[in-house]
Amino acid sequence: MKGPLLKFAVAGAALFSLVLFFLLPRYTVTTSYVPSIISSSKSATAIPNIAHFVYILSNTSDTFDFAFSHYLSIFAASYYWNPTTIYFHTNADAASRASARDGTSGKWTQLIFNTPNLIIHSVEAPTHAGNGHELQGMEHRSDFVRVQAVHDVGGVYIDWDVHALRDLKPLRESGFSAVAGKQIEEQINSGTFLSRPESKMMRLWVQGMNEAYTGGWTTHSNAVLTQIGRKLVAEPGEMLVLERDAFAPWSWNGDDCARLFSPHQEEPSNLEGVRQGDLLPEVEAGTYDEWTTLEETSDFPRDWSNTYLLHAFDPYRFGNHIEGFDKITPRYVLERRSNFARAVYPVAKEMYDRGLVSIDEE
Ligand SMILES: *[C@@H]1O[C@H](CO)[C@@H](O)[C@H](O)[C@H]1NC(C)=O
């Protein structure tokens, strides 16, 4: 082929593969990133609108066992953020992923695997930190996977017990290279963070966690990130550290769990007189005017106006018992009798309206 014709053919092939890329089925498995396409965003300084979820199995042939609460978490991210890509990083083998897709691993797992724009990204679970220490437990392996993923492609990472209450676009487009938030006792929480690819925060964290790892529960995660936050704020535009209410307003302590999850039996149920298939009441998200009429110190209903991400630590994981609350079910959320239920109600209602959940399933 002559020069111009060759160029034309090459351009045609490039265009063809680009078109192919967008025509691929919604569910894709990939073992390597395609950063040039996924990280292109409107503004060069914005944090890309990519979401990251991580689930590391202790045995790669184990099956997934997701609950309704996990689906709530990923659905909210999809609903409020409309990410260009949602990465699901996992070490699950092909059989495990197949049983997740075909429903053998339960309804919630299947729905999670059908999330729009989801890409399953195969990872090998790391076994050792850079300092030679063996990583303890799946949680710590997941910690290393999440930090590397956001370092490499940028975007937003949240744990499965984190619930988006609104869009993060203002934070992604704030001009900061990375954003993190505080939790109880002024520590920066590592269960929620967002960053441009290879930001200074992410580079320091990848390095710091590999050096600091001891097996301590949050030595390499919250502690390292908190240290980075203290220093990096001094470098213009590198890192925005948000107040506690932004990402992790309450904690895993018994009192906080009770304030979040306790159903208020004196409240009328939002499902009063509602049968499966009926329309659910429309509830306006708290507006400024609505909340200014409330006592500021009111524990219930909680004003969630200044919360972007609700890190809802599982009370049972931390040994707290809550009267009248067992686990997060569609009915529990749709009744709107607790602060948690009120926070995530719009998302559960959307699922119900789309016929994805019914009131009395678990
Ligand atoms: C993983 O699970 C499979 C099936 O239960 C089992 O055959 C295999 O030995 C397990 N692998 C490891 C490394 O434990």
Side-chain angles (χ1 to χ4, degrees):
M1 268 187 283
K2 291 205 178 107
L5 192 58
L6 180 64
K7 273 189 202 149
F8 185 73
V10 170
L15 187 66
F16 179 72
S17 31
L18 193 67
V19 167
L20 251 193
F21 177 84
F22 288 106
L23 288 181
L24 282 176
R26 222 163 49 168
Y27 172 89
T28 346
V29 179
T30 167
T31 50
S32 65
Y33 298 111
V34 271
S36 58
I37 294 174
I38 55 170
S39 65
S40 68
S41 68
K42 260 178 283 166
S43 143
T45 60
I47 293 170
N49 192 11
I50 296 170
H52 296 267
F53 288 81
V54 175
Y55 203 97
I56 300 299
L57 299 166
S58 59
N59 181 329
T60 57
S61 58
D62 284 350
T63 50
F64 290 97
D65 184 22
F66 283 114
F68 172 63
S69 67
H70 303 121
Y71 184 48
L72 260 184
S73 168
I74 198 169
F75 190 97
S78 173
Y79 175 67
Y80 286 121
W81 309 343
N82 196 18
T84 52
T85 304
I86 300 181
Y87 278 112
F88 182 133
H89 309 272
T90 183
N91 60 344
D93 68 16
S96 169
R97 293 193 308 250
S99 82
R101 276 196 310 275
D102 70 20
T104 317
S105 302
K107 169 175 176 169
W108 307 121
T109 300
Q110 188 179 30
L111 283 171
I112 285 171
F113 273 69
N114 273 316
T115 301
N117 299 339
L118 188 81
I119 291 183
I120 308 293
H121 180 238
S122 290
V123 293
E124 280 215 24
T127 57
H128 291 78
N131 62 11
H133 277 278
E134 187 171 2
L135 300 182
Q136 311 289 311
M138 295 310 114
E139 292 89 345
H140 286 172
R141 294 179 181 196
S142 153
D143 289 342
F144 279 74
V145 169
R146 71 179 67 164
V147 173
Q148 194 67 51
V150 175
H151 170 276
D152 291 352
V153 289
V156 185
Y157 170 83
I158 59 171
D159 284 344
W160 291 95
D161 59 356
V162 174
H163 300 270
L165 304 189
R166 63 193 78 256
D167 197 359
L168 300 186
K169 191 165 185 253
L171 296 179
R172 289 191 300 98
E173 297 186 349
S174 64
F176 283 91
S177 293
V179 184
K182 290 188 177 175
Q183 62 169 27
I184 187 172
E185 289 169 355
E186 300 297 302
Q187 260 210 337
I188 296 180
N189 183 271
S190 61
T192 56
F193 56 93
L194 45 154
S195 176
R196 290 165 62 187
E198 295 179 39
S199 68
K200 191 156 183 187
M201 179 184 94
M202 295 311 303
R203 284 187 277 126
L204 290 172
W205 196 3
V206 167
Q207 186 190 340
M209 77 192 305
N210 275 290
E211 288 168 3
Y213 189 79
T214 57
W217 185 241
T218 55
T219 313
H220 58 286
S221 52
N222 297 351
V224 168
L225 187 57
T226 301
Q227 254 180 0
I228 293 170
R230 198 170 289 130
K231 301 261 179 236
L232 210 48
V233 169
E235 296 191 25
E238 287 295 351
M239 184 171 177
L240 173 65
V241 180
L242 297 174
E243 56 163 341
R244 187 175 160 192
D245 279 345
F247 291 175
W250 286 337
S251 72
W252 49 85
N253 290 335
D255 286 352
D256 280 346
C257 288
R259 286 201 288 170
L260 183 60
F261 288 112
S262 278
H264 289 248
Q265 301 303 345
E266 73 280 6
E267 280 291 301
S269 166
N270 183 62
L271 291 178
E272 203 67 62
V274 174
R275 282 172 320 177
Q276 177 62 38
D278 292 351
L279 289 180
L280 291 173
E282 204 64 60
V283 177
E284 278 286 316
T287 60
Y288 186 79
D289 287 343
E290 179 193 339
W291 288 115
T292 48
T293 62
L294 279 176
E295 291 283 330
E296 252 176 59
T297 53
S298 152
D299 259 0
F300 182 84
R302 161 86 173 192
D303 174 359
W304 294 114
S305 306
N306 60 353
T307 299
Y308 288 93
L309 301 171
L310 172 56
H311 202 150
F313 303 95
D314 176 1
Y316 288 98
R317 178 151 181 204
F318 297 94
N320 301 307
H321 175 77
I322 293 169
E323 196 61 39
F325 172 77
D326 172 32
K327 64 175 181 177
I328 298 166
T329 62
R331 171 173 287 280
Y332 166 79
V333 173
L334 295 175
E335 285 198 324
R336 285 189 88 245
R337 279 175 148 154
S338 70
N339 282 317
F340 178 82
R342 294 171 61 97
V344 303
Y345 176 75
V347 172
K349 178 178 182 295
E350 182 69 23
M351 292 175 175
Y352 177 87
D353 291 347
R354 293 192 204 171
L356 297 167
V357 304
S358 47
I359 294 169
D360 278 311
E361 62 189 333
E362 298 250 312

